[in-house]
Amino acid sequence: MKYYDKLIFELSKKGRTGFSLPENEFCASRNCGRKPSGCLCNALPENLRRAEAPALPEVGEVDVVRHYTNLSQMNFGVDTGFYPLGSCTMKYNPKINEEVASMPGLQALHPLQPASTVQGALEVYYNMEKALSAITGMSCFTFNPCAGAHGELTGLMIMRQYHILRGDLKRTKVIVPDSAHGTNPASAAVCGLEVVVVKSNADGLVDVADLKPLLGDDIAGIMMTNPNTLGLFEREIGEIAALVHECGGLLYYDGANMNPLLGMVRPGDMGFDIMHLNLHKTFSTPHGGGGPGSGPVGVAARLEHCLPLPRVVRNGDGTFGILGESDESAGKVSGFMGNFGIILRAYAYILSLGKQNVRLAGKFATMSANYIKESLKECYKLPIPSVCKHEFVFDGLINDGSRPEETAADGTVTPAVPGATTLDVAKRLLDFGFHAPTIYFPLLFHQTIMIEPTETESKETIDEFIAVMRKIAEEAAADPMILKSAPHNAPISRPDETRAARQPVLKFRDAE
Ligand SMILES: *Cc1c(COP(=O)(O)O)cnc(C)c1O
């Protein structure tokens, strides 16, 4: 019997209980004079008690445990398997982070407690700001944004505020490369800025010749990520930074996936003025299910006055305080100072790696990605063959198994066979216990498969993934239907993807 075939209510049998305990022998007041079973000294006042017993399922304890444990195993996460999602750094979440975040002294804080009673928490913010500034080459950070895209919006608000404070009101356009993460143009639009697209060249890098004519006194700035979403390092970043600064614009760095640069290269040194980080990608805190996340935004010294408030500051006497108001701040972007529990986890991660090891994360992630790329390029189309950073893209199968319609000499017609697509490869991977990579993103190719292994996977796990990807390519060449009907072992197979995302059925519906 599969425990997840049914709802817990459908498992209910009248009168079945999860446990049995002897009746309470103790009366709270010890002198009410009633037998223990009839004693009401501990009971809720009459007017607060429900008239009928609640409609709870009546199930044995072991059935409850199995039901929910099995349900939890229908989910896929980094704790259960390899999750090579490109542009998303699904790295392992070290358990020491959880230990630190669940320390009672940190867990029970209230955001409105006086600063004098939360000095330790404020010190964490302060030290974390110093650590991220050292890693990125920025001058200071705000921890208020609760996600990467929220950080982008905050960073663009800072950019706009900087120009407004200087009385430079014409700058309403933001340049975004065509390879950018979809949140970049979306954030610019939400901030009320106009998006101008700059093209990539044949090497997958920003085309400087295409950029030059876009620059002018109406440009607020450019949003870039480096390495870009194809996993390629923008080698012309020095020239791009000089050109954008020359026209009076600022450079925004999308540091959601800063993993390959950790301890090696700093966006601040590349000429970036504003950036965000995703603590829930690069700094090992959990993501998925929509949060909670953290997208701290860092700025160069000349933009510090535009940071959103509140902020932690160090007082003259060495204690920590909270700066709540200023006339120049870009405004308020969240309830208080972001998701403290997530910031604690990332702080634990940085301290546990230390200065020496933080740079190993990016090196190993880069090595793993190149190893997979080189091992699979005989079976999957590699549109950009150069050395990649922490991630790379394939453009579908080399042999997708498709065959044209054939007419034999006797006139019998064998119908055409459609080839296996990237979606089919992704679905088939689930049968082998691997989460699918990112597919059909970035939009520069038609059959994109974007793979990011991260540094925490062992060589054995990566070799197993490579072997499965090869096997899937062989299956496709022999009989694409094996892929097209996959997954064969998952609890559900192929839902309508749009409706599953837009109109999910999350509640039990009685059979009509
Ligand atoms: C994930 C990601 C984002 C958005 O981060 P969220 O926390 O999902 O809002 C932005 N840019 C890049 C490059 C990303 O990979």
Side-chain angles (χ1 to χ4, degrees):
M1 164 173 167
K2 282 199 218 117
Y3 282 79
Y4 49 75
D5 277 353
K6 292 194 165 153
L7 296 174
I8 189 90
F9 288 94
E10 294 171 299
L11 297 176
S12 180
K13 289 276 177 291
K14 192 148 187 53
R16 189 167 292 174
T17 49
F19 62 89
S20 74
L21 290 175
E23 253 182 298
N24 181 8
E25 285 181 27
F26 300 101
C27 158
S29 67
R30 290 180 184 258
N31 58 9
C32 72
R34 293 195 190 91
K35 283 189 178 150
S37 56
C39 165
L40 291 173
C41 291
N42 281 333
L44 286 171
E46 189 73 39
N47 62 328
L48 294 180
R49 270 179 267 160
R50 58 165 83 232
E52 282 164 38
L56 296 175
E58 299 177 76
V59 197
E61 178 174 325
V62 66
D63 297 317
V64 176
V65 169
R66 285 185 190 151
H67 179 73
Y68 286 108
T69 306
N70 280 301
L71 275 185
S72 77
Q73 289 176 356
M74 288 171 77
N75 209 349
F76 194 101
V78 275
D79 281 359
T80 49
F82 182 40
Y83 207 136
L85 210 58
S87 192
C88 227
T89 318
M90 298 296 289
K91 69 166 77 179
Y92 172 68
N93 316 127
K95 298 302 166 236
I96 189 173
N97 298 357
E98 303 301 319
E99 295 264 327
V100 168
S102 55
M103 286 164 73
L106 294 168
Q107 224 176 22
L109 302 179
H110 192 281
L112 297 179
Q113 263 176 260
S116 62
T117 67
V118 289
Q119 285 293 302
L122 300 185
E123 189 172 354
V124 167
Y125 275 104
Y126 185 83
N127 290 349
M128 187 64 169
E129 185 171 354
K130 292 282 169 256
L132 295 186
S133 299
I135 288 172
T136 59
M138 291 288 148
S139 173
C140 45
F141 270 85
T142 168
F143 292 94
N144 300 11
C146 294
H150 194 194
E152 290 170 26
L153 175 61
T154 304
L156 290 166
M157 286 165 65
I158 292 170
M159 183 184 283
R160 195 180 54 184
Q161 179 75 350
Y162 172 77
H163 292 308
I164 289 174
L165 287 179
R166 287 164 50 253
D168 196 351
L169 305 179
K170 266 195 300 204
R171 298 187 183 272
T172 55
K173 293 183 180 168
V174 170
I175 301 173
V176 179
D178 57 4
S179 65
H181 195 270
T183 50
N184 290 187
S187 300
V190 171
C191 194
L193 297 162
E194 191 186 326
V195 177
V196 183
V197 175
V198 58
K199 289 201 194 75
S200 302
N201 60 25
D203 296 331
L205 304 176
V206 166
D207 190 336
V208 178
D210 194 57
L211 173 67
K212 280 182 184 163
L214 304 179
L215 297 170
D217 62 4
D218 56 350
I219 295 298
I222 186 170
M223 296 182 88
M224 282 179 70
T225 184
N226 197 15
N228 65 22
T229 49
L230 297 172
L232 303 171
F233 193 82
E234 298 278 359
R235 289 189 298 272
E236 322 260 32
I237 187 61
E239 189 186 347
I240 294 171
L243 287 168
V244 174
H245 284 150
E246 218 165 89
C247 90
L250 296 175
L251 279 89
Y252 183 93
Y253 181 76
D254 179 341
N257 308 295
M258 220 195 96
N259 215 24
L261 301 192
L262 288 181
M264 309 291 290
V265 180
R266 308 193 312 169
D269 300 335
M270 291 184 221
F272 286 97
D273 306 288
I274 310 172
M275 68 173 291
H276 81 269
L277 290 163
N278 278 26
L279 299 188
H280 48 290
K281 289 180 184 169
T282 304
F283 294 93
S284 87
T285 71
H287 61 146
S294 178
V297 170
V299 296
R302 65 193 163 116
L303 292 158
E304 182 167 359
H305 58 292
C306 302
L307 280 180
L309 298 177
R311 283 187 69 203
V312 171
V313 287
R314 185 150 216 181
N315 301 320
D317 61 0
T319 60
F320 299 95
I322 299 171
L323 180 66
E325 280 179 45
S326 113
D327 290 339
E328 302 193 319
S329 159
K332 201 166 161 66
V333 298
S334 64
F336 189 63
M337 287 194 285
N339 284 319
F340 181 54
I342 295 300
I343 292 153
L344 277 171
R345 284 172 175 82
Y347 185 52
Y349 174 72
I350 291 174
L351 291 188
S352 61
L353 283 182
K355 247 186 211 160
Q356 308 80 356
N357 293 330
V358 92
R359 58 166 49 200
L360 287 181
K363 281 190 179 180
F364 284 142
T366 300
M367 182 172 66
S368 302
N370 279 286
Y371 178 58
I372 296 177
K373 169 170 71 70
E374 293 303 310
S375 305
L376 289 175
K377 67 180 185 187
E378 262 75 65
C379 326
Y380 295 87
K381 285 180 210 156
L382 182 61
I384 299 172
S386 51
V387 174
C388 65
K389 292 292 173 290
H390 59 302
E391 63 192 359
F392 66 94
V393 297
F394 285 132
D395 187 15
L397 288 152
I398 289 179
N399 182 352
D400 65 6
S402 60
R403 294 186 243 300
E405 185 184 277
E406 272 170 35
T407 312
D410 65 359
T412 50
V413 176
T414 318
V417 178
T421 62
T422 278
L423 176 68
D424 303 325
V425 173
K427 293 284 184 191
R428 184 66 176 138
L429 266 171
L430 304 178
D431 282 335
F432 295 98
F434 291 111
H435 196 280
T438 296
I439 55 173
Y440 301 109
F441 174 82
L443 307 174
L444 298 177
F445 309 104
H446 292 300
Q447 291 293 330
T448 315
I449 307 176
M450 187 182 203
I451 297 175
E452 178 179 352
T454 86
E455 69 281 8
T456 38
E457 298 303 327
S458 69
K459 174 147 186 305
E460 288 73 21
T461 301
I462 290 179
D463 281 338
E464 207 183 312
F465 175 72
I466 291 169
V468 164
M469 284 291 280
R470 284 193 183 133
K471 182 178 162 60
I472 292 174
E474 282 162 23
E475 286 177 348
D479 178 7
M481 275 320 288
I482 301 174
L483 275 61
K484 290 203 163 295
S485 53
H488 306 285
N489 313 328
I492 58 166
S493 183
R494 293 202 182 204
D496 175 323
E497 307 222 330
T498 309
R499 282 184 53 223
R502 301 278 172 230
Q503 300 159 6
V505 181
L506 301 176
K507 280 200 284 190
F508 177 60
R509 283 190 189 156
D510 249 328
E512 263 96 11

